[in-house]
Amino acid sequence: SAVISQKPSRDICQRGTSLTIQCQVDSQVTMMFWYRQQPGQSLTLIATANQGSEATYESGFVIDKFPISRPNLTFSTLTVSNMSPEDSSIYLCSVEGLGKETQYFGPGTRLLVL
Amino acid sequence: QKEVEQDPGPLSVPEGAIVSLNCTYSNSAFQYFMWYRQYSRKGPELLMYTYSSGNKEDGRFTAQVDKSSKYISLFIRDSQPSDSATYLCAMSEVGRDDKIIFGKGTRLHILP
């Protein structure tokens, strides 16, 4: 299994500002995933981050709003840009285990935008 | 129709009871079926996964997949207060690039 940490664990931000969330894994992994979990909604994949290439975004998510960095095989960041109250959510990073059916998640970053 | 449907609950049962959690889905191409448990203020953790149809047992937990009915279940025997959490079903097609689709989760409360 993989141990994943995220920073910050929570934050309260003002409308129009940006927040960068960090994700650190205790082992080298090829793919890292960023999810959003809004109250009462399912986990939704934002993007897949591969080391050495541009992130792949899912429908409804764009790089200008959610820029992602993947500088090495154990670390990634997700930035939530120009935030609005609708961005209030839990943001989770995850990695695959032996296969995509075994994903490990970080503890999440709880974001509240005022 | 949503790809994955899951009753959000909450579901409250007395300690020691058998718990049944269920999901239905519409995509007949799903082959991987997973159950995650998420405690409050924590990330989801994988409980069990199955490939295609059939049953899988792990301790007090049993996962069932009925592909003919597009219905999956998670049974918890001898439920404990520590089982109180949100349970997420998830499923995926077999392709390397096929993403995992999650249900909304069912909140479960085990009453001491």
Side-chain angles (χ1 to χ4, degrees):
Chain A
S1 66
V3 177
I4 304 171
S5 59
Q6 286 185 233
K7 291 181 181 179
S9 59
R10 61 176 61 219
D11 208 340
I12 300 173
C13 301
Q14 295 298 318
R15 179 196 301 260
T17 62
S18 298
L19 176 71
T20 295
I21 302 168
Q22 298 178 9
C23 179
Q24 180 76 51
V25 189
D26 68 343
S27 57
Q28 294 184 336
V29 293
T30 303
M31 291 198 291
M32 296 178 75
F33 306 90
W34 286 98
Y35 284 85
R36 184 172 70 182
Q37 188 175 33
Q38 294 180 308
Q41 302 299 315
S42 8
L43 272 170
T44 302
L45 182 64
I46 297 171
T48 302
N50 291 329
Q51 196 270 333
S53 62
E54 294 289 325
T56 303
Y57 289 83
E58 296 299 313
S59 175
F61 299 96
V62 295
I63 187 171
D64 290 345
K65 176 68 175 176
F66 298 101
I68 289 172
S69 78
R70 184 77 202 276
N72 57 52
L73 290 173
T74 63
F75 187 79
S76 179
T77 67
L78 170 77
T79 299
V80 187
S81 303
N82 188 25
M83 288 183 286
S84 66
E86 291 71 35
D87 294 319
S88 298
S89 183
I90 300 172
Y91 292 86
L92 296 141
C93 69
S94 76
V95 302
E96 285 185 353
L98 293 176
K100 65 187 231 177
E101 69 277 12
T102 55
Q103 280 207 343
Y104 301 101
F105 285 86
T109 295
R110 283 153 183 78
L111 172 62
L112 176 63
V113 184
L114 303 176
Chain B
Q1 181 184 10
K2 291 187 186 296
E3 277 198 286
V4 178
E5 300 269 11
Q6 185 175 13
D7 187 332
L11 177 64
S12 297
V13 299
E15 182 176 356
I18 296 175
V19 175
S20 173
L21 304 168
N22 312 293
C23 289
T24 59
Y25 62 94
S26 58
N27 185 353
S28 58
F30 285 148
Q31 294 280 11
Y32 288 115
F33 303 92
M34 292 78 79
W35 286 95
Y36 287 83
R37 178 175 61 196
Q38 186 173 21
Y39 290 115
S40 179
R41 303 185 187 282
K42 301 287 187 183
E45 59 177 322
L46 180 67
L47 266 180
M48 300 180 71
Y49 71 89
T50 55
Y51 177 74
S52 193
S53 285
N55 295 357
K56 188 172 185 178
E57 186 173 324
D58 184 1
R60 296 185 295 112
F61 298 89
T62 299
Q64 287 186 353
V65 175
D66 182 350
K67 294 189 71 180
S68 63
S69 302
K70 298 191 181 68
Y71 188 90
I72 69 170
S73 301
L74 177 71
F75 297 96
I76 308 174
R77 292 184 299 279
D78 187 24
S79 55
Q80 306 293 312
S82 59
D83 295 327
S84 298
T86 296
Y87 290 79
L88 309 170
C89 65
M91 43 200 83
S92 173
E93 299 182 34
V94 295
R96 191 69 185 93
D97 296 330
D98 292 316
K99 63 181 180 181
I100 298 173
I101 308 298
F102 288 84
K104 292 184 179 182
T106 299
R107 284 189 297 141
L108 173 66
H109 298 293
I110 306 299
L111 306 171

